[in-house]
Amino acid sequence: MRISELAAATQVPVATIKYYLREKLLHDGVLTSATQARYDDSHVRRLKLIRSLIGTAGLSVSATREVLLGLESPPESGHDLLGIAHHAVTRTAPDDVDLSSAQKLLDRWGWGAATCDRDTQAALVAALHGLSEAGFDAPAALLDRYAAAMQDIAEADVDTVPTDSAEAAMRHVVLGTLLMEPVLLAMRRLAQQSASFQRFGGTGS
Amino acid sequence: MRISELAAATQVPVATIKYYLREKLLHDGVLTSATQARYDDSHVRRLKLIRSLIGTAGLSVSATREVLLGLESPPESGHDLLGIAHHAVTRTAPDDVDLSSAQKLLDRWGWGAATCDRDTQAALVAALHGLSEAGFDAPAALLDRYAAAMQDIAEADVDTVPTDSAEAAMRHVVLGTLLMEPVLLAMRRLAQQSASFQRFGGTGS
DNA sequence: CAATGTTGGGGAGTAACACTATCTAAGTCA
DNA sequence: TGACTTAGATAGTGTTACTCCCCAACATTG
């Protein structure tokens, strides 16, 4: 398949495909001459994946590259796979952030295994700080209910990880983490509308 | 308080405060002469709110302006407040999107009150489409578990809305929706690490 | 009163990001 | 043969969120 056919098959402009090739998001096609190369199904699949990560999950090009690299590299440990996905959506925390508030929450929720991921803890601390700076104080009881719901979701996540193939497991974990986030947020908004209507009524305008 | 003092109090550069003034995110100070104005606590609070919405919640400047306008305008209906927050984080859907798959899900979950919000439904459809384009097929049972968890969260959300003041309720709903999203996502990641460790073990590297 | 510093207002500049367009030489295909 | 396509490279575009600079007008300090 030529580049124009690849573009037609994926609805991605040729210029954009060339850009992804330059940025090493997409692997090169097989050169058949100095100015011709052939692409195949693997390029179609990869391109759709790239578009989902950039478009749906909102990753940057460089974060997408890291995720794709992670998907290709040997799995090492089943647990560490999460790090690939989480690192892609979490900016690295400086050394001097105070994570004690996050540690206290992790203790309360029994999430001891998460105590080693400083970056995500810092993201939690930053998000809670942004909340309180805005004058919104989240009661502990509310956070506890959130934590219980998120634990349900996380258990559903690991329950559905395929155990037959390490590669399938890796793919599942990374994509399930990244691409499911917008799904969850949209579901929350819809559930809020439903709950709000049942509680307060509404005009539906 | 002069602009430099406002900058010192909020850790926001003077040039950025001027930018927010130009963009009408921040209300003008009281002019005491042609080249002097006074600012007060309301500016400090507003500036912190702006920074939380832009920094923590990741809103754009124009979305932030809409949210702030919504917070100032009369509340109208308790239920419609959600629309202000949801509209700020959801891009408007074109007229020709097919929402039938979203409608089916809403029916299944009993979220009938959400059937009028086309934009958020379109966001759900788009997110699910991105997932399947990436070769990740979410089983219905997984989505159902997600839906149950999100309903818990939404009920916790409406349970904690203050009922004494309409203004406080509005503030709570909008901020609780927007600023809580990064909190929830960080919590999911931490919960995943905990669940993954308990299920698979791990090196913790 | 003078020297120094700050401010409002406005325009222009910047850096990052994700493309998008154009060009050339070297092909392919009918 | 001649129209079309391509790889590879360079440069340009549009958006966003600032950031810098300038000036006249003021405030503050000595």
Side-chain angles (χ1 to χ4, degrees):
Chain A
M1 149 186 322
R2 304 192 292 185
I3 197 170
S4 58
E5 296 170 301
L6 180 59
T10 56
Q11 304 277 39
V12 178
V14 171
T16 305
I17 296 177
K18 287 187 175 187
Y19 169 65
Y20 292 158
L21 287 168
R22 274 199 303 280
E23 292 293 321
K24 299 291 173 198
L25 298 190
L26 188 62
H27 46 294
D28 286 335
V30 179
L31 275 177
T32 61
S33 78
T35 63
Q36 299 276 292
R38 297 288 131 171
Y39 303 90
D40 58 25
D41 271 354
S42 74
H43 294 89
V44 174
R45 282 196 303 273
R46 178 69 155 253
L47 214 34
K48 285 184 176 176
L49 177 55
I50 291 168
R51 287 257 123 170
S52 289
L53 289 174
I54 290 179
T56 304
L59 295 197
S60 68
V61 166
S62 64
T64 303
R65 181 170 39 232
E66 276 180 44
V67 169
L68 293 172
L69 272 175
L71 281 176
E72 278 169 354
S73 74
E76 303 187 12
S77 143
H79 181 66
D80 294 339
L81 289 180
L82 276 174
I84 295 169
H86 289 175
H87 185 73
V89 288
T90 314
R91 59 180 168 194
T92 37
D95 285 344
D96 58 346
V97 284
D98 176 23
L99 300 179
S100 57
S101 55
Q103 292 284 351
K104 261 170 66 179
L105 292 172
L106 292 183
D107 280 350
R108 192 164 80 209
W109 300 328
W111 297 352
T115 48
C116 51
D117 181 358
R118 291 175 39 82
D119 291 342
T120 305
Q121 283 178 55
L124 178 62
V125 170
L128 289 172
H129 180 254
L131 208 49
S132 77
E133 278 288 274
F136 186 105
D137 285 308
L142 180 64
L143 289 183
D144 287 344
R145 288 179 72 174
Y146 283 167
M150 283 330 209
Q151 190 166 336
D152 282 351
I153 284 176
E155 280 164 12
D157 285 333
V158 304
D159 279 351
T160 49
V161 171
T163 53
D164 49 348
S165 140
E167 196 194 322
M170 178 156 57
R171 200 182 161 76
H172 182 99
V173 166
V174 173
L175 300 186
T177 297
L178 299 179
L179 294 177
M180 207 58 98
E181 294 192 349
V183 174
L184 287 169
L185 294 182
M187 283 174 62
R188 176 179 180 226
R189 293 183 202 135
L190 294 170
Q192 279 181 337
Q193 290 172 23
S194 166
S196 161
F197 181 83
Q198 287 176 15
R199 191 68 50 107
F200 304 116
T203 63
S205 73
Chain B
M1 172 186 299
R2 304 192 292 186
I3 198 171
S4 58
E5 296 169 302
L6 179 60
T10 56
Q11 304 276 36
V12 178
V14 171
T16 304
I17 295 176
K18 286 186 176 187
Y19 169 65
Y20 292 157
L21 287 168
R22 276 201 298 279
E23 292 293 320
K24 300 290 172 200
L25 298 189
L26 186 62
H27 46 295
D28 286 334
V30 180
L31 276 178
T32 60
S33 78
T35 63
Q36 298 276 290
R38 298 285 133 172
Y39 303 91
D40 58 26
D41 271 353
S42 74
H43 294 89
V44 174
R45 283 196 304 272
R46 179 70 155 253
L47 213 36
K48 286 184 175 176
L49 178 55
I50 291 168
R51 286 257 124 170
S52 289
L53 289 174
I54 289 179
T56 304
L59 295 196
S60 68
V61 166
S62 64
T64 303
R65 182 171 37 233
E66 276 181 42
V67 170
L68 292 172
L69 272 175
L71 281 177
E72 279 170 352
S73 74
E76 305 188 9
S77 144
H79 181 67
D80 294 339
L81 289 180
L82 275 173
I84 295 169
H86 289 174
H87 184 73
V89 289
T90 314
R91 58 181 167 194
T92 36
D95 285 344
D96 58 346
V97 285
D98 177 22
L99 299 179
S100 58
S101 55
Q103 292 283 350
K104 260 169 68 178
L105 292 172
L106 292 184
D107 280 350
R108 192 163 79 208
W109 299 329
W111 297 352
T115 49
C116 52
D117 181 357
R118 290 173 40 81
D119 291 342
T120 305
Q121 283 178 55
L124 177 62
V125 170
L128 289 171
H129 179 254
L131 208 49
S132 76
E133 279 287 275
F136 186 106
D137 285 309
L142 180 64
L143 289 184
D144 287 345
R145 288 179 72 174
Y146 283 167
M150 282 330 204
Q151 190 166 335
D152 282 351
I153 284 176
E155 280 164 11
D157 285 333
V158 303
D159 278 352
T160 49
V161 171
T163 51
D164 50 348
S165 139
E167 196 194 322
M170 177 156 57
R171 200 182 161 78
H172 181 99
V173 166
V174 173
L175 300 186
T177 297
L178 299 178
L179 294 178
M180 207 58 97
E181 294 192 350
V183 174
L184 287 169
L185 294 182
M187 283 173 62
R188 177 180 180 225
R189 293 181 203 139
L190 295 170
Q192 278 181 337
Q193 289 172 22
S194 166
S196 162
F197 181 84
Q198 287 175 15
R199 191 67 51 107
F200 304 116
T203 64
S205 74

